[in-house]
Amino acid sequence: MLDSQKAGRGKKQIGEKGKKKRDYWIPKIFLMSIIISAVFSLVSSNVLNGAGYIIAFLLLAAFILIGIVFDIIGVSVTVAEERPFHSMAAHGEKSASCAMQLIRNAEKVSSVCNDVVGDISGIVSGSTAAVIVTKLCTSFDLDSMVMSLVISALVSGLTIGGKAIGKKIAINNSTQVVHSVSRVIHMVKRK
């Protein structure tokens, strides 16, 4: 019992045959966070460099949407049950085993979706909003304080409101969401 509790904290884990193995989850998620953050920031800075206002606002909307979609996935995996996927697997649905694996690793999937991707999307959308405010204030001689308040309030409202709607969707449609995600993962793995 103590060994299983330690495994959850990133300590040594007892394998199926009694061998001790290390759980590398924390270093993996740390590295994953750095890579995803670097990619999002690189995309943001490259697209925003010399981009017009429409492109800048579309990029901002994309980061907000990414955060909402991954929040839906994280919540869905957490609340979904395996039972429907056992039935799908029995009927030859190839992605059902992937769905069951997602559900069995719900804490990790949720951590990646909600914490890593969701938080990074929030941070990058904030920095993208700051760049947009700077561009608007420079081009149109606007009050930076007022523009900053308006844009940050808009980004916060869209993010929080979108995630609230997304959570309702995730809880009410968890099986469908997990099934859709598992089908995408299954297709990617096949290719």
Side-chain angles (χ1 to χ4, degrees), residues 128-161:
T128 303
V131 171
I132 291 171
V133 166
T134 303
K135 283 183 164 204
L136 287 170
C137 292
T138 304
S139 298
F140 300 109
D141 195 32
L142 299 169
D143 183 5
S144 62
M145 178 67 106
V146 171
M147 244 7 249
S148 180
L149 286 172
V150 168
I151 298 290
S152 63
L154 184 64
V155 169
S156 297
L158 288 171
T159 302
I160 294 166

Side-chain angles (χ1 to χ4, degrees), residues 53-157:
Y53 296 110
I54 293 173
I55 299 295
F57 277 106
L58 286 175
L59 182 66
L60 178 59
F63 284 130
I64 293 169
L65 189 62
I66 288 169
I68 293 168
V69 167
F70 275 85
D71 195 63
I72 291 170
I73 294 168
V75 172
S76 293
V77 169
T78 304
V79 300
E81 294 182 13
E82 273 189 56
R83 196 174 326 124
F85 298 105
H86 288 287
S87 175
M88 288 179 199
H91 288 94
E93 177 68 42
K94 296 186 188 313
S95 63
S97 62
C98 180
M100 289 186 285
Q101 194 173 8
L102 288 171
I103 293 168
R104 289 175 188 155
N105 292 295
E107 73 284 350
K108 291 179 180 178
V109 174
S110 176
S111 183
V112 169
C113 291
N114 298 93
D115 300 331
V116 175
V117 178
D119 290 353
I120 290 171
S121 293
I123 292 165
V124 176
S125 66
S127 63
T128 303
V131 171
I132 291 171
V133 166
T134 303
K135 283 183 164 204
L136 287 170
C137 292
T138 304
S139 298
F140 300 109
D141 195 32
L142 299 169
D143 183 5
S144 62
M145 178 67 106
V146 171
M147 244 7 249
S148 180
L149 286 172
V150 168
I151 298 290
S152 63
L154 184 64
V155 169
S156 297

